[in-house]
Amino acid sequence: MAQSNDVILEVRGLKAQYRSPRGIVKAVDQVSFDLRRGETLSLVGESGCGKTATGLSILRLIEGLRGEIVGGQILYHGNDLLKMSSEKLRQVRGSKIAMIFQDPQSSLNPVLKVGDQIAEPIMLHMGLGKKDARARALELMKQVGIPFPERRIDEYPHQFSGGMKQRVMIAIALSCNPEVLIADEPTTALDVTSKAQIMDIFRHLKENKSMSIIFITHDMGLVADTADRIVVMYGGRLAEAGTVLHVFDTPQHPYTMGLLKCLPSISGSQTRLVPIAGTIPSLIDPPDNCNFNPRCPYVMKMCREVRPPEYQTAPGHRAACFLYTQFPVHSPGAVAGVA
Ligand code: SF4
């Protein structure tokens, strides 16, 4: 494992929102985490918990989707992406930080050959000519396991299956050797076999390329299989963060405990999946208390009145929950080695 303590991306107190006909949707509410060189960090939670909005905010792509970033910092090697000029940000997008989306169908241009779509960022960011960019596109298609790449490079997206389209998207994302890859539910639209094959590509990237990956998913099974560290999100906020080993072994936040109870046990000791009762909170005008309180079996009076800070429950492990008031409050950036 190529993981180190070398932090390359820091998200600090990020706040992002969408405009909707019903009001302002507070999609990300003061979320902080770090990404280190060579690690896979998973953002996990139910649909609508803010994990995709967080991924989109890192590259400021949320701004083109009726969204805006209203607070915080996103530091890439110490430079705040939120303060970067459009020109500088364009240089970072694709060549330094790339993103893969969950629906390859809508991300590919239907009237362009896949080879041209892979070659385009190579010519743009790496300055290669058409011939060399095509050769690199071919090499990338082989790397992500697209069969008969010499023939398929001149085919159009509609000639590819869902799994093969997602491989094309991964090839485009990898085209300029990015340092950070953000993968947003990259296997959601795929069948079981394609899903396993795509996850093999991610494992290979992590092990052989020392790439830092932010893996966004609602699937705790995939997290256990691929991630080093985990950030559990609930209702746009961070509920818990820590190493996968710690969080799976000793989950601190009642929401994480609930998510893990939903997982089938490998040993077979857990025969029934236990769903979390209740529904996710509305992100329009959310009250400033613990947003998990209507679903929490441990709810106390203060949980309905005040928002809990994040408590440092162990080195590198924190939880936003009043069950841990005996631990110090976590301040983003103040504690070395914190998720
Ligand atoms: Fe439950 Fe209170 Fe903790 Fe919220 S702060 S998760 S309601 S115990």
Side-chain angles (χ1 to χ4, degrees):
M1 190 185 298
Q3 193 190 346
S4 75
N5 282 329
D6 186 4
V7 172
I8 54 179
L9 187 75
E10 300 167 67
V11 175
R12 293 276 167 263
L14 179 67
K15 290 168 111 176
Q17 59 192 33
Y18 290 106
R19 294 175 296 281
S20 85
R22 290 177 47 227
I24 298 291
V25 179
K26 290 192 175 173
V28 187
D29 193 357
Q30 294 187 49
V31 170
S32 302
F33 59 86
D34 294 338
L35 179 69
R36 300 169 196 161
R37 190 177 302 285
E39 79 168 348
T40 297
L41 175 80
S42 256
L43 297 186
V44 188
E46 293 165 284
S47 299
C49 72
K51 52 193 193 303
T52 292
T54 302
L56 290 169
S57 296
I58 291 172
L59 281 172
R60 285 171 49 189
L61 294 169
I62 196 169
E63 292 169 355
L65 300 167
R66 297 161 62 96
E68 57 184 339
I69 297 167
V70 290
Q73 292 178 304
I74 298 173
L75 304 172
Y76 174 59
H77 290 295
N79 298 311
D80 193 350
L81 296 179
L82 302 184
K83 291 191 178 141
M84 234 172 229
S85 66
S86 312
E87 181 51 37
K88 277 200 167 160
L89 186 65
R90 249 196 306 277
Q91 287 165 15
V92 171
R93 280 182 189 154
S95 64
K96 307 282 185 204
I97 306 176
M99 187 157 182
I100 301 168
F101 301 93
Q102 53 180 282
D103 181 11
Q105 185 72 36
S106 57
S107 305
L108 288 168
N109 187 332
V111 297
L112 275 184
K113 291 173 183 173
V114 297
D116 291 341
Q117 298 192 53
I118 301 171
E120 189 185 315
I122 300 170
M123 292 194 284
L124 187 73
H125 293 295
M126 297 174 92
L128 264 60
K130 211 169 175 184
K131 195 172 160 211
D132 289 339
R134 183 180 167 91
R136 169 121 181 93
L138 203 57
E139 184 194 310
L140 284 159
M141 289 176 76
K142 283 181 194 156
Q143 195 181 318
V144 298
I146 296 175
F148 314 111
E150 290 84 359
R151 170 166 61 82
R152 306 216 74 184
I153 194 168
D154 290 316
E155 290 183 352
Y156 291 89
H158 74 269
Q159 294 171 283
F160 284 65
S161 67
M164 285 297 150
K165 280 194 195 98
Q166 194 55 290
R167 285 169 197 253
V168 172
M169 289 308 300
I170 295 173
I172 293 172
L174 298 180
S175 58
C176 300
N177 280 326
E179 195 175 19
V180 177
L181 184 63
I182 304 170
D184 183 9
E185 307 258 18
T187 59
T188 298
L190 306 181
D191 59 67
V192 178
T193 311
S194 301
K195 183 173 167 177
Q197 290 166 345
I198 295 292
M199 289 314 298
D200 274 347
I201 296 175
F202 281 103
R203 262 178 231 112
H204 173 83
L205 288 175
K206 185 180 160 188
E207 281 160 21
N208 301 333
K209 298 240 173 222
S210 300
M211 195 170 276
S212 304
I213 301 173
I214 296 179
F215 195 81
I216 298 171
T217 182
H218 61 274
D219 186 335
M220 292 295 264
L222 282 187
V223 174
D225 207 24
T226 55
D228 301 299
R229 290 189 303 136
I230 176 172
V231 171
V232 181
M233 291 186 68
Y234 183 77
R237 301 174 185 173
L238 182 146
E240 178 166 1
T243 64
V244 167
L245 224 55
H246 261 148
V247 173
F248 275 66
D249 263 10
T250 52
Q252 313 275 282
H253 197 283
Y255 176 60
T256 316
M257 295 175 197
L259 280 182
L260 291 173
K261 277 190 195 151
C262 297
L263 269 184
S265 133
I266 295 169
S267 65
S269 57
Q270 186 179 311
T271 50
R272 272 185 65 223
L273 300 182
V274 185
I276 304 174
T279 52
I280 55 169
S282 165
L283 299 181
I284 297 176
D285 256 337
D288 211 16
N289 55 14
C290 174
N291 58 1
F292 189 61
N293 83 74
R295 303 171 82 180
C296 182
Y298 307 103
V299 61
M300 301 169 277
K301 187 169 174 278
M302 68 195 302
C303 311
R304 298 193 177 98
E305 294 167 351
V306 195
R307 175 174 174 174
E310 293 168 17
Y311 294 99
Q312 184 79 36
T313 60
H317 199 161
R318 57 193 157 114
C321 174
F322 285 126
L323 292 174
Y324 305 100
T325 49
Q326 72 273 32
F327 292 101
V329 171
H330 164 73
S331 322
V335 185
V338 172

